[in-house]
Amino acid sequence: VQGDYQDEVLQEEIQTIVGESPLLAMTTLQDRINMDSSFFDGMYRTVLGLCFFIIVFSIINLLNTLVSSIVSRRKEFAMLQSIGMGDRQLSRMIQYEGLLIAIINLMGTLVVGGFLGYGFVRLIRSIASGYLVYTFPILPFTGYALLILIVPVVISVLVIRSMKQQTLVERLRTTE
């Protein structure tokens, strides 16, 4: 508390000296931090919006990959079921394939996104604000990971329900 009081007194004295001369100006570290904070709040919102767009796009891409893979292999699935594969086995196979794609997606996101985030903070530190510190966004990544891992499971359930609406013979006859 004593140090804070001395800092305030010293700052007031310097401000008095600076105020007497029109050629002098004073900016404190706290002033700079406050200016940077408002700048980074705006930048944070922009980056967050961009990340949200990328996440939605990646989920749509994952959905597209899974659905197109399943639709193009419907006859193959019907043949596998005709030689004894059960609905549960088919569902598990589709889930594991989807989870494999999702895990590869997560690994790429973790590596590329982590390095890009770290590099971006290093760049900002070297250009403008030397006091920035990179911290990995664990909570957003965990939410993203859960969402990406749930999508293949939901897709497989929906596909199996969709396939159950047709008999095995109808699915084998269909040429898509």
Side-chain angles (χ1 to χ4, degrees):
V1 177
Q2 180 70 20
D4 291 342
Y5 176 74
Q6 289 176 349
D7 288 346
E8 288 176 19
V9 170
L10 183 60
Q11 187 173 348
E12 288 176 13
E13 289 179 16
I14 293 174
Q15 191 64 39
T16 304
I17 295 170
V18 168
E20 293 172 359
S21 173
L23 299 176
L24 295 177
M26 181 177 90
T27 303
T28 63
L29 178 60
Q30 188 60 46
D31 293 338
R32 179 61 190 222
I33 289 172
N34 291 340
M35 287 187 302
D36 288 347
S37 177
S38 64
F39 171 74
F40 286 119
D41 283 345
M43 184 181 287
Y44 178 75
R45 287 188 182 104
T46 303
V47 169
L48 200 59
L50 181 62
C51 289
F52 181 75
F53 174 75
I54 291 170
I55 287 170
V56 168
F57 186 76
S58 76
I59 290 171
I60 291 170
N61 190 21
L62 178 63
L63 283 170
N64 182 40
T65 302
L66 293 174
V67 170
S68 64
S69 169
I70 291 167
V71 166
S72 67
R73 296 170 52 205
R74 277 187 106 122
K75 193 166 188 175
E76 175 188 337
F77 294 151
M79 285 183 188
L80 288 171
Q81 286 188 306
S82 73
I83 59 172
M85 180 180 255
D87 287 342
R88 188 179 190 111
Q89 288 174 315
L90 181 61
S91 179
R92 293 282 183 231
M93 183 181 84
I94 294 170
Q95 285 176 359
Y96 290 144
E97 288 175 359
L99 288 173
L100 180 64
I101 292 170
I103 288 170
I104 291 170
N105 179 332
L106 287 174
M107 294 294 200
T109 301
L110 184 64
V111 172
V112 173
F115 281 125
L116 285 177
Y118 179 75
F120 184 67
V121 169
R122 294 268 319 225
L123 178 69
I124 297 295
R125 279 182 68 163
S126 68
I127 293 173
S129 303
Y131 53 83
L132 284 180
V133 176
Y134 175 77
T135 54
F136 184 78
I138 293 172
L139 191 62
F141 181 77
T142 304
Y144 173 69
L146 288 174
L147 187 63
I148 289 295
L149 292 174
I150 288 172
V151 166
V153 175
V154 171
I155 291 294
S156 70
V157 168
L158 294 175
V159 165
I160 294 300
R161 280 189 188 160
S162 163
M163 281 197 253
K164 282 184 179 180
Q165 292 177 352
Q166 289 182 315
T167 65
L168 184 59
V169 175
E170 289 173 333
R171 283 185 278 151
L172 283 170
R173 285 186 186 159
T174 355
T175 56
E176 298 179 52

